């Protein structure tokens, strides 16, 4: 659970340095495509974490393994069968390797995927589920079309490619929550206050989304979204809830990009 921590994390800790290096490596690897330097910073962050505290080093290593695995391939949007399978395998490994090491090698059971929490959702949380599609409808077409970011996704008209694109959008959205929230955020939360752990995971989250295609002024949207997802998970302790939020939003992402490439299709947006 998120509450499982290694001692009480201070407000400001020297552990922020190695954790910050691990997050910064994601910017270098995914944002600037600096493979060699990015991996060097990643190794430095993990090594410094072990130097400061063994448990910190282990948790940063698990995060670093996932980041390093993702960095082995381009995750730019592509619906060709080869890319579809390649990216799917790499993302699956990035989640499963840290999980399997934590569960079976370290026998800690820190990385978990709690589908439901025992607490009932508040009215505000339920209302937010209905608000998400509306917010996406209001914001996403304006962003994709006015910034030209939709061009980072292929122009698709073939039914088979549309199906793969829809599946890919939902699969990546699901992976985002499994890795950035249930893995990175949960591991960081053991060592840092909520706001610090959330900022650190959001940096990795947004860096990945940048490579995926959310460029131009996309981080102005994706960074608040990443922070909100971490905060919601901390409050609800439910993967099912944050995943529902993400997939509702991604449904509008799919429709917006398809419409941007084919303006006569799905003419339901205002931008």
């Amino acid at each position: 659970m998120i509450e499982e921590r290694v001692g009480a994390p201070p407000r400001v800790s020297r552990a922020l340095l190695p954790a910050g290096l691990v997050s910064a490596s994601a910017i270098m690897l995914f944002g600037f495509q600096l493979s060699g330097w990015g991996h060097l910073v990643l190794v430095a962050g993990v090594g410094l974490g072990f130097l400061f505290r063994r448990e910190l080093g282990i948790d940063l290593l698990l995060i670093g393994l996932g980041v390093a695995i993702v960095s082995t391939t381009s995750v730019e949007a592509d619906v060709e069968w080869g890319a579809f399978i390649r990216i799917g395998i790499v993302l699956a490994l990035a989640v499963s390797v840290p999980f399997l090491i934590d569960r079976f090698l370290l026998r800690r059971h820190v990385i978990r995927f709690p589908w439901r929490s025992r607490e009932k959702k508040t009215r505000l949380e339920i209302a937010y589920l209905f608000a998400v599609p509306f917010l996406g409808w209001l914001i996403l077409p304006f962003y994709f079309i006015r910034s030209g970011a939709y061009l980072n996704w292929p122009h698709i008209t073939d039914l088979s490619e549309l199906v793969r694109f829809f599946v890919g959008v939902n699969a990546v959205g699901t992976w985002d929550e499994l890795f950035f929230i249930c893995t990175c955020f949960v591991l960081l939360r053991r060592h840092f206050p909520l706001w610090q752990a959330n900022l650190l995971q959001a940096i990795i989250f947004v860096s990945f989304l940048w490579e995926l295609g959310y460029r131009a002024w996309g981080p102005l949207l994706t960074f608040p979204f990443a922070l909100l997802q971490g905060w919601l998970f901390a409050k609800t302790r439910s993967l099912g809830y944050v995943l529902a939020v993400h997939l509702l939003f991604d449904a509008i992402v799919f429709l917006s990009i398809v419409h941007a490439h084919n303006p006569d299709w799905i003419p339901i947006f205002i931008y």
Side-chain angles (χ1 to χ4, degrees):
M1 298 295 290
I2 292 179
E3 293 77 5
E4 182 180 349
R5 303 177 189 171
V6 182
R11 290 186 177 181
V12 178
S13 166
R14 66 175 186 170
L16 282 171
L17 177 57
L21 288 173
V22 171
S23 292
S25 73
I27 299 176
M28 300 174 72
L29 291 169
F30 305 139
F32 295 104
Q33 301 291 300
L34 298 173
S35 180
W37 288 106
H39 288 109
L40 183 62
V41 170
L42 178 60
V43 170
V46 173
L48 197 58
F50 274 105
L51 185 63
F52 286 174
R53 192 166 61 248
R54 181 177 179 274
E55 281 295 316
L56 174 64
I58 289 174
D59 290 337
L60 293 181
L61 174 61
L62 294 178
I63 295 171
L65 284 172
V67 170
I69 290 171
V70 175
S71 73
T72 62
T73 190
S74 169
V75 295
E76 292 185 0
D78 191 341
V79 295
E80 294 295 329
W81 274 114
F84 189 79
I85 295 171
R86 168 177 49 81
I87 294 173
I89 291 173
V90 167
L91 295 186
L93 288 173
V95 167
S96 61
V97 169
F99 171 77
L100 293 173
I101 291 174
D102 178 73
R103 179 63 56 94
F104 299 106
L105 184 61
L106 301 175
R107 298 184 181 277
R108 302 186 314 171
H109 294 250
V110 173
I111 300 175
R112 303 172 186 173
F113 307 108
W115 183 251
R116 296 178 60 185
S117 63
R118 295 180 181 179
E119 297 84 0
K120 290 184 178 180
K121 299 296 177 289
T122 66
R123 290 182 179 179
L124 183 60
E125 290 165 353
I126 295 173
Y128 182 62
L129 284 175
F130 290 93
V132 165
F134 173 74
L135 292 172
W137 172 83
L138 192 65
I139 298 169
L140 288 171
F142 182 85
Y143 158 64
F144 283 121
I145 295 172
R146 295 300 179 91
S147 71
Y150 75 94
L151 296 172
N152 296 324
W153 281 264
H155 185 178
I156 302 171
T157 56
D158 178 76
L159 178 60
S160 174
E161 291 182 340
L162 280 171
V163 171
R164 289 202 299 275
F165 181 40
F166 179 77
V167 171
V169 167
N170 285 274
V172 171
T174 301
W175 180 85
D176 288 341
E177 301 305 322
L178 296 177
F179 183 67
F180 298 118
I181 302 301
C182 290
T183 302
C184 296
F185 179 58
V186 166
L187 291 171
L188 291 166
R189 188 72 180 96
R190 302 179 75 222
H191 307 277
F192 304 102
L194 189 152
W195 68 273
Q196 291 178 7
N198 210 12
L199 283 172
L200 290 166
Q201 71 83 15
I203 291 171
I204 307 174
F205 199 153
V206 172
S207 300
F208 171 82
L209 291 179
W210 176 275
E211 182 179 356
L212 185 64
Y214 292 85
R215 298 171 191 168
W217 40 275
L220 296 178
L221 300 178
T222 56
F223 198 77
F225 180 76
L227 291 174
L228 184 58
Q229 289 298 93
W231 183 81
L232 286 172
F233 186 67
K235 296 301 179 184
T236 65
R237 295 178 289 183
S238 169
L239 169 61
Y241 180 80
V242 295
L243 185 56
V245 169
H246 198 136
L247 295 186
L248 284 169
F249 201 70
D250 277 355
I252 310 301
V253 168
F254 170 79
L255 295 175
S256 299
I257 294 174
V258 171
H259 171 73
H261 279 292
N262 307 278
D264 294 335
W265 296 11
I266 326 172
I268 60 172
F269 299 108
I270 299 173
Y271 50 88

